[in-house]
Amino acid sequence: MMKRVKGDEDACSSSSEGPTESCKKVRKLQPSKEKHQEEEEETDVDLCEFGFDWALLPQEILLNIFQFLPLLDRAYASQVCRGWNQAFHMPELWRCFEFELNQPASSYLKATHPELIKQIIKRHSNHLQYVSFKVDSSTESAEAACDILSQLVNCSLKTLGLISTARPSFMELPKSHFISALTVVFVNSKSLSSLKIDDTPVDDPSLKVLVANNSDTLRMLKMSSCPHVSPAGILCVADQCHGLRELALNYHLLSDELLLALSSEKHVHLEHLRIDVVSENPGQHFHTIRKSSWDAMLRHSPKFNLVMYFFLYEDEFGPFFREEVPITHLYFGRSVSKDVLGRVGVHCPRLVELVVCANGLRPLDEELIRIAKRCTQLSAIGLGECEVSCSAFVEFVKMCGRRLSQLSIMEEVLIPDHKYNLDEIHWEVSKHLGRVWFPDMMPTW
Amino acid sequence: SDQNFLARYWPASEMVGNTIHWFRKGLRLHDNPSLKESIRGADTLRCVYILDPWFAGSSNVGISRWRFLLQCLEDLDTSLRKLNSRLFVIRGQPTDVFPRLFQEWQTSQLSYEYDSEPFGKERDAAIQKLASEAGVEVTVKVSHTLYDLDKIIELNGGQSPLTYKRFQALISHMDAVESPAEIITAEVMRKCATPISDDHDDKFAVPSLEELGFETEGLATAVWPGGETEALTRLERHLERKAWVANFERPRMNANSLLASPTGLSPYLRFGCLSCRLFYFKLTDLYRKVKKNSSPPLSLYGQLLWREFFYTTATNNPRFDKMEGNPVCVQIPWDRNPEALAKWAEGRTGFPWIDAIMTQLRQEGWIHHLARHAVACFLTRGDLWISWEEGMKVFEELLLDADWSVNAGSWMWLSCSSFFQQFFHCYCPVGFGRRTDPNGDYIRRYLPILKAFPAKYIFDPWNAPESVQKAAKCVIGMHYPKPMVHHTEASRLNIQRMTQIYQQLSCYRGLGLLATVPANPNNGGNGVGTSPEEIQHEAVAQAGKDPLHPPRFLGCPYHSKTCIFQRVGLKDMLGHVFFFNQIELVL
């Protein structure tokens, strides 16, 4: 940057040296020990020669540069001159902030300095628009986040994210304490657009406050695993917030009514719907969603993505995949039976990505081939603790061909058979994919 | 001092050659090129091992590992006796010991095996300096690894390879592995004597565990006896079994593979009782013999190459065993939780599969590599969300074959902290065990308290009806702990956390889980519109714009520390450097 400055200033500086010469002098670095003194003097002389007023650098350029600098570097730069100090406080640089709230006893990462937090609230809270809180597993940190939230009274946030980085520490707070802090933001920020409050004790009444203040602007709501929200609570959001395009929640909040509300004429097209299906106790019973509700959703938002994460015991899959479901991204976090995967092949024609973490000891040959045949959009697949015979796997890849842009298969998954061994399979699969492919390997440690 | 003067300035050819060979790893007489070289032309040879008894007791290394080491030293001493020599175990610190030895023994030459690890390199540089000050010539040879690691790095343009695939590609362009050096025999030692004093045993004997400050009462016999002799016997057995099976593919895991095998070699490779090059060539010969001269695939050497890979990635990275300040490690907000860590380390998690593995580790010093995956995944990204550094330390204490580079590298790998690993795959602490050992015999062997549980419940005894628990004389919560985490809930949370971290790293905007891990061209790369170039382009284009409509992802320039991974990583993979000044705020 100094080089650049020098070039710009050439006209008015008295220096007649070529640019390389002067750069050499200005560049203050790697001096040998003997020369150190001398060079330092030279640098001083040069800066004087410039007669350069750093404050002359236009604010727009400074802003542009500052936007690329980490906060700490900006803080250092702000000590150069008054102009840069002013630039440090430009509102544009304070629109987005991530508060990191960690305690030394529960985290290895540094926390945002309390003094900095104080300064931001004092000088820049009215500039904040995109804010997230990263909170470690301690209740103190979650409390600190609420403390900051409740001070965000004179700002209008567009984005708010509450992120528990280790364990869901917001859940350990007294519910009323959390709710009152959160509703401060809902009430004061009239144009909240994106909200991520997974794993928090948010409840129906606080969602009502959200709807009352932000129904026109809300586009994204992520609230997976919020046990205090009821199906009626989320239905109220869907009914009122017609601009909602992205929604993430747990299966127990999903209802036919919700899908119908999201597909009403007044509602914009939904883009993403993410559902976590989580079993709390083995043998839990799950309700079903009517095919007609999914059909309504698809008619209204033909391009919407339905992302489903399953964390169920094998015997709890009964109500699922009995009829056609417009799932696009499907993730099985626990062992899933051959039977269920067979049903996936029949009932998920829109499937784009399939991840199976575990399965039994019987190879998934027919199931995969059926999925390749029926799921014509499938472009990503990941297999963990499963088994597939090498020939069936090659057949699967051949059927899907080059549209398989993600193919992550643990080496242990592939069972050599009469046609292919493990060394041959990577050639065969690479051939069908049109690119070099290898199975994922784990270290033999 | 006249003598000193003479020793130092006497013309080299006529000088009496007094050599010291310094054993550290490489505790063997076969394939020991630096020892062999230093014997040549030497009149006397003294083989030394330096240890600090005071440090031993207070170090993080557990009793099994010390016992293994002492057995290696005993074996070395026995072998040296057969050559009319002895091992000199010197108590102290190398930097204090050597100046004294150089003078006392009129040393002209010092030899040792090259140590590629950052700490070792630093220590050896200091000794080299002391040696040159004393006029002692130093001979160093590579023999702990198959290759000269610096050459691998040079071939990769000066950067350590960051994926195993990349490493394999580099290996296939390297010169052939050097043949092992000839074993040290009486014939090799013919012209070279070891001056042994009468009080040798008083001054230089291999210490006992008690001398090192360990309590040995009730210590069970070693399942893995240390030493070169044992290593060579095992190597023969290992090859015999391979020849008999005549199948060079990765053996499928079963309940039996979980137990210590008399053909296991990993601790012997770690301490250098067995030369990796000898193992390499014996494998090659066997393969050629059985497969009628077809050339062996790289996968034949899997175990050796993984080890080599981690040595290569670690050699120039002194922070390789840390998360903070380690340029190849993703910064993950692990939880600090000493109580949970202790439960894991002591086998009190309430998951029999995890507890049995940790018990075996503590008792025997070795566990199968898939068992390592199971417990490492459980501690880190799978269930407890505790830092891999903590797990690494426990392994360092207990695991006989734990080596700084390999241990840290494997832990980073398994916790998905580096090497572009997909993170979706978590081992289930119940299902994985049940698949491996359907009868639960392994559990019964290491957790006798659960002996009477039927196979149906032995991996999740808390689900057994009370009557079954009572009949098994083991009530869960009383005689054996309840599971310390709700695995389903923990894996849901942890997948979410990992996704969050990797989305920030890769600036990936899509919904896919697999594409969240930064592109790995060996594995298919990203889908349309998410190539790193495009992501970079978009990130830059977006920076500084005041978004009209709040986007889902926003510029958040406060995390330069996470950028390091990308800079190094993406350069390695794709040959470009990307500077992600804008880390995106992903909601």
Coordinates of all heavy atoms in Angstrom, one line a residue, chain B residues 28-31 75 79 183 227-240 262 264-265 268 273-275 278-279 282:
Chain B
R28 N 17.8 -51.1 17.7 CA 18.0 -52.3 17.0 C 19.4 -52.4 16.5 O 20.1 -51.3 16.3 CB 17.0 -52.5 15.9 CG 17.1 -51.4 14.9 CD 16.2 -51.6 13.7 NE 16.4 -50.6 12.7 CZ 15.6 -49.5 12.5 NH1 14.6 -49.3 13.3 NH2 15.9 -48.6 11.6
L29 N 19.8 -53.6 16.1 CA 21.1 -53.7 15.5 C 20.9 -54.0 14.0 O 21.9 -53.9 13.2 CB 21.9 -54.9 16.1 CG 22.3 -54.6 17.6 CD1 23.1 -55.8 18.1 CD2 23.1 -53.3 17.7
H30 N 19.7 -54.4 13.6 CA 19.5 -54.6 12.1 C 19.1 -53.3 11.5 O 18.6 -52.4 12.2 CB 18.5 -55.7 11.9 CG 17.1 -55.3 12.2 ND1 16.5 -55.3 13.4 CD2 16.1 -54.7 11.4 CE1 15.3 -54.9 13.4 NE2 15.0 -54.5 12.2
D31 N 19.4 -53.1 10.2 CA 19.2 -51.9 9.5 C 19.4 -50.6 10.4 O 18.5 -49.8 10.6 CB 17.7 -51.8 9.0 CG 17.5 -50.7 8.1 OD1 18.5 -50.1 7.5 OD2 16.3 -50.2 7.9
D75 N 17.1 -55.9 25.9 CA 17.4 -56.7 24.8 C 18.6 -56.2 24.0 O 19.4 -57.0 23.5 CB 16.1 -56.7 23.9 CG 16.2 -57.7 22.7 OD1 16.4 -58.9 23.0 OD2 16.2 -57.2 21.6
S79 N 22.0 -58.2 23.2 CA 22.6 -58.4 21.9 C 24.0 -57.9 21.7 O 24.8 -58.5 21.1 CB 21.7 -57.8 20.8 OG 20.4 -58.2 20.9
I183 N 23.0 -56.1 9.0 CA 22.9 -56.2 10.5 C 24.3 -56.1 11.1 O 25.3 -56.5 10.5 CB 22.2 -57.5 10.9 CG1 21.9 -57.5 12.4 CG2 23.0 -58.7 10.4 CD1 20.9 -58.6 12.8
G227 N 11.5 -55.1 22.6 CA 12.8 -55.6 22.2 C 12.9 -56.0 20.7 O 11.9 -56.5 20.2
E228 N 14.1 -55.9 20.2 CA 14.4 -56.2 18.8 C 14.2 -57.7 18.6 O 13.6 -58.1 17.5 CB 15.8 -55.8 18.4 CG 16.2 -56.2 17.0 CD 17.6 -55.8 16.7 OE1 18.4 -55.6 17.7 OE2 18.0 -55.8 15.6
T229 N 14.6 -58.6 19.5 CA 14.5 -60.0 19.3 C 13.0 -60.4 19.1 O 12.7 -61.1 18.2 CB 15.1 -60.8 20.6 OG1 16.3 -60.2 20.8 CG2 15.2 -62.2 20.3
E230 N 12.2 -59.9 20.0 CA 10.7 -60.1 20.0 C 10.2 -59.6 18.6 O 9.4 -60.2 18.0 CB 10.0 -59.5 21.1 CG 8.5 -59.5 21.1 CD 7.9 -60.9 21.4 OE1 8.6 -61.7 22.0 OE2 6.7 -61.1 21.1
A231 N 10.7 -58.4 18.2 CA 10.2 -57.8 17.0 C 10.4 -58.7 15.8 O 9.6 -58.8 14.9 CB 10.8 -56.4 16.8
L232 N 11.6 -59.2 15.7 CA 12.0 -60.0 14.6 C 11.2 -61.4 14.5 O 10.8 -61.8 13.5 CB 13.5 -60.3 14.5 CG 14.3 -59.0 14.3 CD1 15.8 -59.2 14.4 CD2 14.0 -58.4 12.9
T233 N 11.0 -61.9 15.7 CA 10.2 -63.1 15.8 C 8.8 -62.8 15.3 O 8.2 -63.6 14.5 CB 10.0 -63.6 17.3 OG1 11.3 -63.5 17.9 CG2 9.5 -65.0 17.3
R234 N 8.2 -61.7 15.7 CA 6.9 -61.3 15.3 C 6.8 -61.0 13.8 O 5.8 -61.4 13.1 CB 6.4 -60.0 16.1 CG 5.9 -60.3 17.4 CD 5.8 -59.1 18.3 NE 5.2 -59.5 19.5 CZ 3.9 -59.3 19.8 NH1 3.0 -58.8 18.9 NH2 3.4 -59.7 21.0
L235 N 7.9 -60.4 13.3 CA 7.9 -60.2 11.9 C 7.8 -61.5 11.1 O 7.0 -61.6 10.1 CB 9.2 -59.4 11.5 CG 9.3 -59.2 10.0 CD1 8.2 -58.2 9.4 CD2 10.7 -58.6 9.6
E236 N 8.5 -62.5 11.5 CA 8.5 -63.8 10.8 C 7.1 -64.4 10.9 O 6.5 -64.8 9.9 CB 9.5 -64.8 11.4 CG 10.9 -64.5 11.1 CD 11.1 -64.2 9.6 OE1 10.6 -64.9 8.7 OE2 11.8 -63.1 9.3
R237 N 6.5 -64.3 12.1 CA 5.1 -64.8 12.3 C 4.1 -64.1 11.4 O 3.2 -64.6 10.8 CB 4.7 -64.7 13.7 CG 4.9 -66.0 14.5 CD 4.2 -65.8 15.9 NE 5.2 -65.8 16.9 CZ 5.2 -64.9 18.0 NH1 4.4 -64.0 18.1 NH2 6.2 -65.0 18.9
H238 N 4.3 -62.8 11.4 CA 3.4 -61.9 10.6 C 3.4 -62.3 9.1 O 2.4 -62.4 8.5 CB 3.9 -60.4 10.8 CG 3.0 -59.4 10.1 ND1 2.1 -58.7 10.8 CD2 3.0 -59.0 8.8 CE1 1.5 -57.9 10.0 NE2 2.0 -58.0 8.8
L239 N 4.7 -62.5 8.6 CA 4.8 -62.9 7.2 C 4.3 -64.3 6.9 O 3.6 -64.5 5.9 CB 6.2 -62.7 6.8 CG 6.8 -61.3 6.9 CD1 8.3 -61.3 6.8 CD2 6.2 -60.4 5.8
E240 N 4.5 -65.2 7.9 CA 4.0 -66.5 7.7 C 2.5 -66.5 7.6 O 2.0 -67.2 6.8 CB 4.4 -67.4 8.9 CG 5.7 -68.1 8.8 CD 6.2 -68.6 10.2 OE1 5.4 -69.0 11.0 OE2 7.4 -68.6 10.4
P262 N -0.2 -61.9 18.4 CA 1.2 -62.1 18.5 C 1.9 -61.8 17.2 O 3.1 -61.9 17.0 CB 1.3 -63.7 18.7 CG 0.0 -64.2 18.4 CD -1.0 -63.1 18.5
G264 N 1.3 -58.7 15.8 CA 1.2 -57.2 15.8 C 2.6 -56.6 15.8 O 3.4 -57.1 16.5
L265 N 2.8 -55.5 15.1 CA 4.1 -54.9 15.0 C 4.2 -53.4 15.4 O 5.3 -52.9 15.5 CB 4.6 -55.0 13.5 CG 4.7 -56.5 13.0 CD1 5.1 -56.4 11.5 CD2 5.8 -57.2 13.7
Y268 N 6.6 -52.0 18.0 CA 8.0 -52.3 17.6 C 8.5 -51.3 16.5 O 9.7 -50.9 16.5 CB 8.1 -53.8 17.1 CG 7.6 -54.7 18.2 CD1 6.3 -55.1 18.3 CD2 8.5 -55.1 19.3 CE1 5.8 -55.9 19.3 CE2 8.0 -55.9 20.3 CZ 6.7 -56.3 20.3 OH 6.2 -57.0 21.4
C273 N 12.4 -51.0 17.2 CA 12.9 -52.4 17.4 C 12.8 -53.1 16.1 O 13.5 -54.1 15.9 CB 12.1 -53.2 18.4 SG 11.7 -52.3 19.9
L274 N 11.9 -52.6 15.2 CA 11.8 -53.2 13.9 C 12.0 -52.1 12.9 O 11.4 -51.0 13.0 CB 10.4 -53.9 13.8 CG 10.0 -54.4 12.4 CD1 11.0 -55.5 12.0 CD2 8.6 -54.9 12.3
S275 N 12.8 -52.4 11.9 CA 13.0 -51.4 10.9 C 11.8 -51.4 9.9 O 11.4 -52.4 9.4 CB 14.3 -51.7 10.1 OG 14.2 -51.3 8.8
L278 N 13.0 -52.9 6.6 CA 13.0 -54.3 6.6 C 11.6 -54.9 6.4 O 11.4 -55.8 5.5 CB 13.6 -54.9 7.9 CG 13.7 -56.4 8.0 CD1 14.7 -56.9 7.0 CD2 14.0 -56.8 9.4
F279 N 10.7 -54.4 7.1 CA 9.3 -54.8 7.0 C 8.8 -54.6 5.5 O 8.2 -55.4 4.9 CB 8.4 -54.0 8.0 CG 7.0 -54.4 8.0 CD1 6.6 -55.7 7.8 CD2 6.0 -53.5 8.4 CE1 5.2 -56.1 7.8 CE2 4.7 -53.8 8.5 CZ 4.3 -55.1 8.2
K282 N 10.5 -57.1 3.2 CA 10.0 -58.5 3.4 C 8.6 -58.6 2.8 O 8.3 -59.7 2.2 CB 10.0 -58.8 4.9 CG 11.3 -58.9 5.5 CD 11.8 -60.4 5.5 CE 13.1 -60.5 6.3 NZ 13.7 -61.8 6.2

